[in-house]
Amino acid sequence: MAESGIANIRAVLLSKPRPVGWDQRRQRLDEVGSIWPVADDVALRTVDCGNVAGEWSFSPGADTTRVLLYFHGGGFCSGSILSHRRLVTEAGRAAGISTLAIDYRLAPENPFPAAHDDAMSAWRYLRQQGIDASNIVVAGDSAGGNLTITLINALRRANEESPACAWLISPWTDLSMSGTTLQSKDQIDPIIHRGYLEELADAFAPASLDRRSPFLSPLFSDLIGFPPTLIQVGSAETLLADSTRFAEAAAIANVATTLEVWPDMIHAWPLWNGGLTDARLALRSAGQFIKHQLSDLEREPINLPGIGLARSAMPR
């Protein structure tokens, strides 16, 4: 697909009927990963992260003493390493570090707390490799952004070390769906609508659960002590308020928070970085944020699966 603007991405999305059922939805999202394949210079390695499938990626010169741990979006019900491979690998390139993408279990086959348990397993795997918590960046888009926040909150509740920072793309922070932009942006968002979100929430969180619980909706969590956070969201998203309200809550809790609202961008637009300039610019901005957060850290070389002894290539 040639270089294009967001109008072209919208046209592609709207040219196809909305998928029906979990299999079609998963297939449609995985198509994103096949439109723009991973760059030829990126090395990939599969790994078992404590019974959770993962994939390492290394761009040329990547600092393998530092890791971007990434959780894909898809409403907890779709998405995969494949669907987000291009996004994750190019994010690693922008940050100059290695990445670890996770295929956590999906609902409705595996409802809450399966995805949360898998996120923690991935974190434990990294720590068992000898990687310092301060040397890990945790990130995700949409539902993956939710997992990012809830994982960090779980570590904080257990009085464990937190990662160096968090990066959230269009995070779904409120499963109770109380944000005003669900209505005000409904006519311009080509992807996410209230009915769809309600179906996803029903599949992930049984009706007996309180969807305002911080375990499901981290918007309502205690954020005091949360690590520095970058939030990127599009102005054309029904979930815009999930980002702006989380940014406000984090700022009130004295969290170093950067909120980027990208004009005209749609939900999780960095997925289309192969054909969208603003997607590549967003990844570049995230890479700069990550480099800044890691810039003062000095770590000894460690061994990661399949790559041998690693030495830092991080610009100083």
Side-chain angles (χ1 to χ4, degrees):
M1 189 169 183
E3 177 69 18
S4 59
I6 193 62
N8 300 66
I9 302 297
R10 282 178 168 274
V12 170
L13 291 171
L14 295 174
S15 68
K16 302 177 181 180
R18 292 185 71 89
V20 178
W22 304 122
D23 288 343
Q24 286 189 21
R25 288 170 177 170
R26 291 167 184 172
Q27 182 179 359
R28 176 67 61 82
L29 190 49
D30 279 351
E31 287 176 1
V32 174
S34 60
I35 292 175
W36 294 293
V38 175
D40 292 339
D41 61 352
V42 173
L44 302 174
R45 302 284 188 275
T46 59
V47 66
D48 180 351
C49 304
N51 295 320
V52 181
E55 182 177 81
W56 287 103
S57 83
F58 312 96
S59 58
D63 179 356
T64 55
T65 70
R66 297 175 168 92
V67 180
L68 171 65
L69 175 62
Y70 197 91
F71 302 116
H72 66 76
F76 300 106
C77 298
S78 61
S80 66
I81 288 174
L82 172 60
S83 66
H84 284 64
R85 186 175 278 150
R86 173 82 186 203
L87 186 162
V88 175
T89 56
E90 290 306 305
R93 186 194 306 276
I97 61 178
S98 57
T99 73
L100 179 62
I102 301 300
D103 253 343
Y104 56 86
R105 287 170 290 173
L106 300 177
E109 299 91 339
N110 300 282
F112 174 85
H116 290 245
D117 292 342
D118 290 352
M120 183 61 74
S121 292
W123 174 266
R124 297 281 185 238
Y125 164 80
L126 283 179
R127 299 291 281 119
Q128 290 165 5
Q129 305 311 303
I131 303 173
D132 289 345
S134 61
N135 221 18
I136 302 172
V137 176
V138 183
D141 63 288
S142 195
N146 183 304
L147 284 178
T148 295
I149 304 166
T150 52
L151 168 63
I152 295 172
N153 283 344
L155 294 171
R156 292 165 55 234
R157 284 193 302 272
N159 293 318
E160 296 187 32
E161 290 183 275
S162 292
C165 59
W167 168 36
L168 311 174
I169 304 172
S170 305
W172 188 15
T173 65
D174 177 15
L175 270 64
S176 74
M177 289 168 282
S178 61
T180 59
T181 52
L182 281 173
Q183 179 177 349
S184 64
K185 298 290 184 178
D186 185 71
Q187 296 302 310
I188 63 173
D189 190 325
I191 303 175
I192 307 296
H193 304 282
R194 178 182 286 275
Y196 176 53
L197 289 175
E198 289 175 347
E199 187 177 357
L200 296 173
D202 287 343
F204 178 64
S208 59
L209 298 177
D210 177 9
R211 290 187 185 159
R212 288 181 62 89
S213 163
F215 298 99
L216 295 174
S217 297
L219 173 64
F220 307 113
S221 60
D222 177 4
L223 297 173
I224 295 175
F226 202 84
T229 300
L230 169 65
I231 306 167
Q232 295 179 315
V233 65
S235 69
E237 296 195 44
T238 54
L239 287 178
L240 174 59
D242 278 42
S243 287
T244 57
R245 290 184 297 159
F246 185 81
E248 180 182 20
I252 290 173
N254 206 33
V255 177
T257 308
T258 302
L259 172 66
E260 296 180 355
V261 180
W262 286 68
D264 301 319
M265 292 300 106
I266 62 176
H267 187 69
W269 77 100
L271 274 171
W272 289 277
N273 66 83
L276 181 62
T277 298
D278 280 334
R280 293 190 292 275
L281 292 175
L283 294 183
R284 183 185 303 175
S285 178
Q288 292 171 346
F289 169 81
I290 291 169
K291 287 179 179 180
H292 175 73
Q293 297 302 323
L294 297 175
S295 61
D296 294 332
L297 300 177
E298 293 289 347
R299 294 289 177 260
E300 291 298 320
I302 59 173
N303 288 302
L304 292 180
I307 59 173
L309 190 64
R311 288 184 169 82
S312 173
M314 179 69 70
R316 298 296 180 190

